[in-house]
Amino acid sequence: MTDKILTQENRVVRHGAMELIEHWAIALSGLILLLTGIFELPVGKRYYIIDVPGLGWSADFITSLYLHYAAALVFTAAAVFHVFYHGLRGEKELLPRKGDLSESVTVIKSLFGFGEEPPMRKYLPEQRLAYAAMALIILMLIISGMVKTYKNIYAPDMSHGILLWATWIHNIGFILFFLAFLAHMAAIALRPNWPMVRGIFTGRVRLDYARHRHPLWIAGMEPEPQDPATVEEGEQQPLPSEEAPVMEETEEEDLPPGKPQPEEDKT
Amino acid sequence: MKQEKNLKIGRRSFLKLTAGAAALSGMSLPKKSFAGTEQRLSTLIDLSLCDGCVDREIPACVGACKEINRDKIPQVIDPIPEPWPRKTIEDWSHKRDVADRLTPYNFIYVHKADVRVAGQAKTIFVPRRCMHCDNPACATICPFSANHKHKSGAVVIDQNLCFGGAKCRDVCPWEIPQRQSGVGIYLNVLPGLMGNGVMYKCDLCVDRLTQGKLPGCIEACPREAMLIGSRAAIEKAALSRAARINGYLYGKTQNGGTATLYVSPVPFEEINKTMIKKPGQPDMKMNVERRMVGTDALGKAVLAAPVLGLAAAAVVGVWGRIISRKEKAGREE
């Protein structure tokens, strides 16, 4: 757990360097997989993509396969690393919790002005559900992709039944992964989630934002002794959430309305 | 020819040979040896025997193939939906009789090669069809796995699954599969936007094989210029025939190996000189590499990726624990 309050800087460490590397390894390799997966369909010539400068290779299925394999290597290794690394460390904050579904409904309703947003942990209930959904999609893609890769190299005459299952799981997984990516981008586009975007680039989010929207997360950290390197002697301890200072005291940005959306970050 | 008679290995004897081997391996009925199609089969095309059936309107192999596959392609929809944005439509439904090239309605044709070898003019007839490669990119790269290599070695396109994107033709070194627009599953999805028909090619008469019959072209050949049998038997026969006529082989190494072995009394380089590669008319270059072979190493790395990820998690996890213990010890001091 790398989470840490940096009161002087008005920041909370939300993701450690390892988590950022995991996220971006999966994100970038996933995008390459999406693109080269599309180019494994006969679309390059038909849709004149080959005429786009720099995409002349889009109709060369073997070139796309090289790139697809290279990205799959990173994607698969990073996904397996993620599961075991955090599993061994006992970090389960992204796993769905009991009541996440109903709590998500409450949060979404609050987004439309019906009711209040409940106090949140480090991750929003939608994020935990979205994480589970994405994990399932990635699992589908990796296993089916492995079967297809094995077939390509060792067993072109493998059981057609197994191959058809793998193929369609891969194709459906591709569509779901693409939709999940769009939903991820849509979540980022929502104003209440903007403060979290900084977190996936720098690992840190604003402390006042976190106190306002993720009080259960902050409350879980505050009883802990502060790191002397980050908290000066005699410095005032952060206030409980209900006493949190309002945004305009610390940042130039407006306080977000506090309406969470799914899938802000994935690690 | 004399040599062939001496060899005394004909089509039927191959069947017997195969059946005998099958019986030894536990298969009781001769038919089952093909019917199971579990054993890997190969075919041999002996160009020293093929005479192109010059006395017939079309060669016997071509005629038999056409007859067997006459009703294979369903009724083509009229009008054929115009694909968008590239408006390519390939419609052979009004040219079904074409027999001098590969089309969706013609899976085999015979090329006539007038060559000069050692100053002598010679005419060689070369039946051309799908080579049924050992690791066919046309099948492995099909996005819907509509094209698949069977245990028998036959590479077969399932016309009920194919969208007609022609990827298989693009990656085939001989560009064998041919498209018929206006038929197939794509008509039920988004015909204007995705898919463009169905790809067709020789399927080694896989249905006939399961019934214990020979492929049509092999059965029809009046000169027994084509054979089918177990992989080992065909390979042995091909090498033996080539040695006897001081001839040449094609198909053993091309594209990573195929289930079709040509035996020729003249070098294939000379035959290839008579071939101008055109749509539906493949050439016979000697150096045909399997392009996907270059991707195999990376593919193997992908298969090892879970182990890589696991090992990295263990190393980083243990390293993290050592660091945190050191930090804790430092704080306690």
Side-chain angles (χ1 to χ4, degrees):
Chain A
M1 183 70 71
T2 50
D3 300 357
K4 193 186 290 178
I5 295 173
L6 308 173
T7 310
Q8 269 200 327
E9 301 170 42
N10 188 35
R11 294 285 182 272
V12 189
V13 177
R14 186 172 166 86
H15 307 297
M18 196 55 70
E19 290 163 3
L20 293 181
I21 292 170
E22 287 168 43
H23 174 269
W24 287 109
I26 288 177
L28 296 177
S29 62
L31 284 176
I32 294 171
L33 284 165
L34 267 179
L35 186 71
T36 53
I38 290 169
F39 290 164
E40 279 301 332
L41 295 167
V43 296
K45 282 187 205 162
R46 175 160 182 169
Y47 289 95
Y48 297 99
I49 300 169
I50 51 170
D51 295 335
V52 177
L55 291 179
W57 54 275
S58 61
D60 182 348
F61 306 112
I62 309 291
T63 299
S64 289
L65 186 62
Y66 272 108
L67 294 169
H68 203 71
Y69 275 161
L73 173 60
V74 175
F75 189 78
T76 307
V80 173
F81 175 89
H82 169 82
V83 169
F84 283 95
Y85 178 70
H86 295 286
L88 290 171
R89 288 164 66 97
E91 293 168 354
K92 301 171 183 169
E93 289 205 297
L94 259 171
L95 295 179
R97 304 169 69 95
K98 199 178 173 187
D100 273 357
L101 203 59
S102 58
E103 201 176 333
S104 294
V105 174
T106 308
V107 173
I108 291 167
K109 277 164 70 178
S110 74
L111 191 69
F112 295 99
F114 300 101
E116 289 290 311
E117 190 176 75
M120 240 83 79
R121 296 171 185 277
K122 179 176 178 179
Y123 297 105
L124 317 183
E126 292 97 312
Q127 269 184 302
R128 290 191 289 269
L129 293 176
Y131 171 80
M134 188 59 112
L136 183 67
I137 294 167
I138 287 175
L139 185 69
M140 284 167 62
L141 286 166
I142 287 178
I143 292 176
S144 57
M146 288 279 175
V147 173
K148 283 161 68 82
T149 304
Y150 181 80
K151 175 260 301 174
N152 286 352
I153 301 167
Y154 298 110
D157 59 352
M158 76 189 305
S159 155
H160 198 201
I162 293 173
L163 183 58
L164 282 172
W165 271 103
T167 299
W168 282 101
I169 287 174
H170 208 68
N171 292 352
I172 292 166
F174 156 74
I175 294 166
L176 294 176
F177 190 70
F178 186 57
L179 293 176
F181 168 71
L182 292 180
H184 193 47
M185 294 301 103
I188 287 172
L190 291 171
R191 189 178 174 85
N193 296 327
W194 288 359
M196 272 194 283
V197 177
R198 179 204 301 264
I200 207 60
F201 286 100
T202 66
R204 300 173 178 193
V205 294
R206 291 200 323 270
L207 176 58
D208 56 296
Y209 157 78
R211 281 197 176 129
H212 172 76
R213 203 177 185 204
H214 303 268
L216 301 179
W217 174 38
I218 298 300
M221 283 190 287
E222 282 183 329
E224 298 293 324
Q226 297 294 302
D227 187 336
T230 56
V231 180
E232 285 180 9
E233 196 177 341
E235 185 182 60
Q236 191 184 2
Q237 292 296 303
L239 296 168
S241 60
E242 57 273 18
E243 295 169 22
V246 291
M247 275 296 299
E248 51 267 31
E249 290 178 356
T250 54
E251 287 276 335
E252 67 284 2
E253 297 168 60
D254 291 338
L255 181 68
K259 311 291 185 196
Q261 286 302 310
E263 301 181 0
E264 293 84 339
D265 44 17
K266 282 290 165 222
T267 57
Chain B
M1 280 304 295
K2 220 174 236 179
Q3 287 167 328
E4 283 311 311
K5 279 177 186 166
N6 290 340
L7 191 60
K8 287 183 181 170
I9 299 178
R11 181 178 76 224
R12 286 168 191 86
S13 50
F14 251 101
L15 268 173
K16 285 175 191 164
L17 188 75
T18 313
L24 284 174
S25 63
M27 294 175 171
S28 54
L29 296 170
K31 279 185 178 179
K32 286 273 174 73
S33 64
F34 281 129
T37 59
E38 283 299 313
Q39 70 162 324
R40 288 182 72 192
L41 301 173
S42 272
T43 54
L44 189 157
I45 301 177
D46 192 334
L47 303 186
S48 70
L49 295 178
C50 178
D51 65 359
C53 293
V54 286
D55 53 335
R56 301 177 186 228
E57 196 179 333
I58 58 171
C61 55
V62 179
C65 181
K66 274 190 175 296
E67 182 60 31
I68 289 168
N69 295 295
R70 178 185 301 279
D71 301 320
K72 180 167 185 159
I73 301 182
Q75 180 69 39
V76 176
I77 196 169
D78 186 23
I80 295 173
E82 187 175 78
W84 183 89
R86 201 180 285 276
K87 305 185 189 315
T88 309
I89 288 177
E90 294 180 58
D91 181 15
W92 288 89
S93 60
H94 305 294
K95 297 174 276 184
R96 298 180 191 212
D97 294 336
V98 171
D100 62 352
R101 58 159 285 175
L102 301 174
T103 78
Y105 296 88
N106 194 58
F107 304 159
I108 183 169
Y109 75 100
V110 179
H111 170 80
K112 184 182 174 198
D114 292 316
V115 295
R116 281 195 87 79
V117 180
Q120 281 195 320
K122 208 168 172 111
T123 300
I124 301 288
F125 294 92
V126 191
R128 300 304 308 274
R129 57 158 169 76
C130 172
M131 300 285 284
H132 298 279
C133 302
D134 292 343
N135 193 335
C138 66
T140 55
I141 214 161
C142 175
F144 303 108
S145 294
N147 192 351
H148 183 63
K149 185 177 178 68
H150 289 217
K151 290 283 181 205
S152 64
V155 181
V156 181
I157 297 171
D158 185 336
Q159 65 172 337
N160 297 317
L161 298 176
C162 177
F163 272 71
K167 252 185 102 175
C168 49
R169 184 170 61 196
D170 287 351
V171 296
C172 172
W174 298 284
E175 300 175 18
I176 298 289
Q178 299 292 312
R179 174 161 53 196
Q180 175 59 49
S181 300
V183 292
I185 193 172
Y186 88 110
L187 294 170
N188 302 321
V189 190
L190 292 167
L193 293 174
M194 59 180 287
N196 195 6
V198 173
M199 306 305 296
Y200 289 97
K201 69 172 191 69
C202 162
D203 61 1
L204 209 60
C205 285
V206 71
D207 290 340
R208 288 171 61 88
L209 288 176
T210 55
Q211 295 163 14
K213 295 179 185 171
L214 290 169
C217 56
I218 294 175
E219 187 176 73
C221 180
R223 297 185 49 92
E224 299 190 356
M226 297 185 202
L227 302 173
I228 186 167
S230 73
R231 177 92 173 187
I234 288 291
E235 194 164 311
K236 195 175 166 188
L239 289 169
S240 165
R241 287 187 182 206
R244 279 171 187 268
I245 62 172
N246 199 22
Y248 304 85
L249 279 183
Y250 189 84
K252 191 170 181 339
T253 57
Q254 280 72 22
N255 201 29
T258 78
T260 302
L261 297 180
Y262 284 90
V263 175
S264 167
V266 303
F268 284 96
E269 287 88 345
E270 296 302 318
I271 293 175
N272 187 50
K273 283 178 188 169
T274 70
M275 295 173 163
I276 300 164
K277 191 175 178 182
K278 292 179 195 164
Q281 291 182 334
D283 59 11
M284 258 183 145
K285 284 196 186 84
M286 289 303 290
N287 184 24
V288 181
E289 64 166 11
R290 183 183 151 249
R291 275 194 73 205
M292 271 179 73
V293 76
T295 67
D296 285 353
L298 208 46
K300 287 174 188 171
V302 171
L303 294 177
V307 179
L308 193 69
L310 186 58
V315 169
V316 176
V318 169
W319 180 253
R321 283 195 182 184
I322 291 170
I323 296 290
S324 77
R325 274 186 194 172
K326 277 187 178 174
E327 282 179 353
K328 196 178 174 187
R331 276 201 297 270
E332 282 172 359
E333 279 173 17

